[in-house]
Amino acid sequence: MLINLPNDIILNIAEMLSPVEIAQFASCSRSYRSMLPNPPLRIHILSNNHEMALNHFFFVSEFPSGRVLQNHESLKFCKRYRFWQFDFDRGHRLDLISHLPLRSKGFDLAFAAWQRNRGDRSNLRTWSVELDVNNSDNNIELKEGMDVPWGSQVGLAVGGDCHKFKGHACSVKRKYLSAVEDVETGEKQWCVFNSVLGECERMKIMRSDEYSALDKEPSTKTSLTIRATPVFYSTRGAFGFYSARSLEGGSLDFGRLQVNVRFELWTEKGFLHIKADNLSFAFVVPMKEKEEESSYTSIRNEHPLLEKLWNVNQNCMFPVKLYMAASANEHAEGLFPFTTLVAFSTNRALSDIGYCDEEMQKFIIKEGGADESSMQQLPFANVERCSLRKFHCVFTEPLIGL
């Protein structure tokens, strides 16, 4: 019987449901009604001057418990939350996150899919409502843990729980949401980059019913895109790898200056082969042995070929990026000048670590003196090439358009 399950199990089940399904689930018993949101709290985020607003409402979940706040509840200062919507078309949750790096500094905003019913881990970003010590509009002293007055002037900070590097969107270093206007173009934009609460970082949070009752609507309403979640990435997210499964959760159209590269992966004789659709030659790197490498990292729920790509020696990853950049050059003229095998092999960064096989149209990395005759003695199972199995590499600004 579900009624006999522990509360944390019930909350985990609820995280896989839509808000409508949560309400139906909550009606099953009195204990569920007290535990699950019925109806859930819905909030809107807008700039302090009401000129800009995110054109979405958000449900709110506590972190780390995952409990969804109910409509009669308030947010607490300095408590961690996740802000999210539910994608009824795809059947999973969409978390509000700081995502891709901007050309100037900081990161933009987007929705990231959390396919919980397929075993995905949650994203690494949480939000908190921070005290505005310079706020003179409040007649009460605001303290950590107190209720956030609806419509009051606050700061919204976002950060992760993993990376300590301040240049990453999921860094533990928390930064404020900003509503800014580009001085050159006049374009109004939501972004995350300041660690100090300034005028552009002052926000207001309203419940949906109060937002709907505003006398004057915000002049700029911004709709966010639902973006595919990368399997892995580098350069603060401006260079990322995506699988077909990634595309089930969101789109690769980021509404940014970007170049998308499609490529195949397969293995032969202990080497991982990478072949971009628009290049005539393949790039070949030696693989690690999973059983013998303590540094080998598994990737859940993804094709094992992407796991093998992630686990190539770090000395090989830069040449992999060069190969992807050569493919991107076919889409974005001037990004990288080496688009043929012979020209590619003349790059100084590659001259001492690999060689080109013009007959087989391959550039082969020799790691530690490895070659095909030595690698084929190792216990690697071949994964045959399949032209229908495609992966994606995406370059976005600031890598492009500088």
Side-chain angles (χ1 to χ4, degrees):
M1 294 285 292
L2 282 174
I3 292 179
N4 297 324
L5 290 176
N7 289 353
D8 57 343
I9 299 297
I10 297 298
L11 289 173
N12 282 336
I13 294 173
E15 285 183 345
M16 304 183 206
L17 305 177
S18 72
V20 174
E21 292 168 333
I22 290 175
Q24 295 171 340
F25 191 25
S27 66
C28 293
S29 75
R30 184 176 301 173
S31 62
Y32 290 179
R33 282 195 293 274
S34 63
M35 185 190 322
L36 301 174
N38 188 18
L41 174 67
R42 299 193 306 173
I43 64 170
H44 282 264
I45 299 172
L46 58 163
S47 61
N48 184 50
N49 59 10
H50 288 208
E51 289 295 318
M52 297 173 60
L54 291 174
N55 195 29
H56 309 276
F57 66 81
F58 301 97
F59 300 109
V60 182
S61 294
E62 291 179 342
F63 177 82
S65 69
R67 187 183 72 86
V68 182
L69 269 62
Q70 301 185 35
N71 189 53
H72 67 272
E73 294 184 275
S74 296
L75 302 178
K76 306 284 187 183
F77 279 110
C78 303
K79 187 176 179 62
R80 302 289 177 88
Y81 297 101
R82 298 192 193 279
F83 298 156
W84 55 279
Q85 284 200 326
F86 194 84
D87 187 340
F88 288 94
D89 293 332
R90 295 182 176 94
H92 52 237
R93 214 170 87 169
L94 303 171
D95 286 325
L96 177 65
I97 64 168
S98 53
H99 192 220
L100 293 174
L102 297 169
R103 189 182 305 180
S104 53
K105 58 180 179 177
F107 300 85
D108 64 5
L109 288 182
F111 283 119
W114 181 16
Q115 301 181 77
R116 177 65 186 271
N117 57 357
R118 299 193 59 181
D120 281 4
R121 293 187 178 95
S122 62
N123 77 79
L124 299 177
R125 271 79 98 197
T126 58
W127 294 85
S128 58
V129 185
E130 300 297 329
L131 303 167
D132 184 359
V133 295
N134 297 318
N135 182 7
S136 59
D137 295 337
N138 297 303
N139 297 321
I140 60 173
E141 182 182 1
L142 302 177
K143 296 181 179 179
E144 181 177 335
M146 289 183 60
D147 288 350
V148 177
W150 297 114
S152 62
Q153 182 176 295
V154 298
L156 277 175
V158 61
D161 55 9
C162 182
H163 295 296
K164 296 182 180 180
F165 305 109
K166 63 180 181 180
H168 287 257
C170 53
S171 168
V172 295
K173 184 176 178 61
R174 304 184 71 78
K175 292 183 178 294
Y176 286 103
L177 176 65
S178 301
V180 299
E181 181 175 334
D182 190 300
V183 293
E184 295 181 358
T185 65
E187 179 184 0
K188 295 180 179 180
Q189 185 178 43
W190 293 87
C191 55
V192 174
F193 63 85
N194 268 336
S195 55
V196 178
L197 185 62
E199 187 59 37
C200 293
E201 288 71 46
R202 292 187 171 92
M203 303 291 160
K204 289 187 177 179
I205 304 175
M206 293 185 172
R207 294 200 308 196
S208 282
D209 53 350
E210 297 172 348
Y211 179 81
S212 301
L214 285 175
D215 294 333
K216 180 181 178 182
E217 290 190 352
S219 57
T220 302
K221 294 183 179 181
T222 304
S223 297
L224 302 178
T225 56
I226 304 172
R227 296 178 180 172
T229 302
V231 179
F232 56 90
Y233 63 87
S234 66
T235 321
R236 300 194 306 146
F239 175 83
F241 289 90
Y242 299 78
S243 65
R245 184 178 182 278
S246 302
L247 304 188
E248 295 174 6
S251 170
L252 287 181
D253 183 3
F254 298 154
R256 300 273 297 276
L257 187 60
Q258 66 182 80
V259 176
N260 298 357
V261 174
R262 291 205 318 168
F263 64 96
E264 300 173 50
L265 290 173
W266 72 95
T267 64
E268 293 178 12
K269 302 176 182 179
F271 281 81
L272 179 65
H273 289 61
I274 308 167
K275 172 64 173 64
D277 281 3
N278 63 339
L279 293 181
S280 60
F281 63 99
F283 189 80
V284 184
V285 294
M287 295 186 297
K288 284 184 180 179
E289 292 183 82
K290 183 174 183 178
E291 295 79 6
E292 298 181 4
E293 291 284 351
S294 59
S295 60
Y296 194 96
T297 303
S298 297
I299 299 178
R300 291 171 42 178
N301 305 324
E302 286 293 349
H303 198 284
L305 287 172
L306 273 180
E307 182 177 297
K308 294 182 186 301
L309 177 60
W310 169 247
N311 284 284
V312 300
N313 189 292
Q314 288 303 305
N315 295 331
C316 298
M317 188 51 71
F318 179 70
V320 169
K321 293 180 183 179
L322 291 182
Y323 178 76
M324 292 299 174
S327 174
N329 181 72
E330 295 293 296
H331 305 282
E333 183 178 355
L335 179 66
F336 194 73
F338 308 108
T339 56
T340 67
L341 175 58
V342 174
F344 184 79
S345 64
T346 61
N347 188 296
R348 292 181 179 179
L350 303 172
S351 59
D352 296 330
I353 61 174
Y355 62 95
C356 62
D357 184 334
E358 293 190 55
E359 180 181 357
M360 300 300 295
Q361 283 293 290
K362 298 177 182 179
F363 187 90
I364 303 172
I365 296 293
K366 293 174 58 177
E367 182 185 349
D371 55 28
E372 293 196 33
S373 60
S374 62
M375 292 294 287
Q376 66 182 341
Q377 305 300 320
L378 299 175
F380 289 113
N382 286 343
V383 179
E384 294 185 0
R385 183 178 183 179
C386 176
S387 60
L388 299 178
R389 185 176 57 229
K390 300 292 185 181
F391 303 95
H392 304 263
C393 176
V394 181
F395 294 81
T396 62
E397 55 180 334
L399 284 181
I400 297 173
L402 294 179

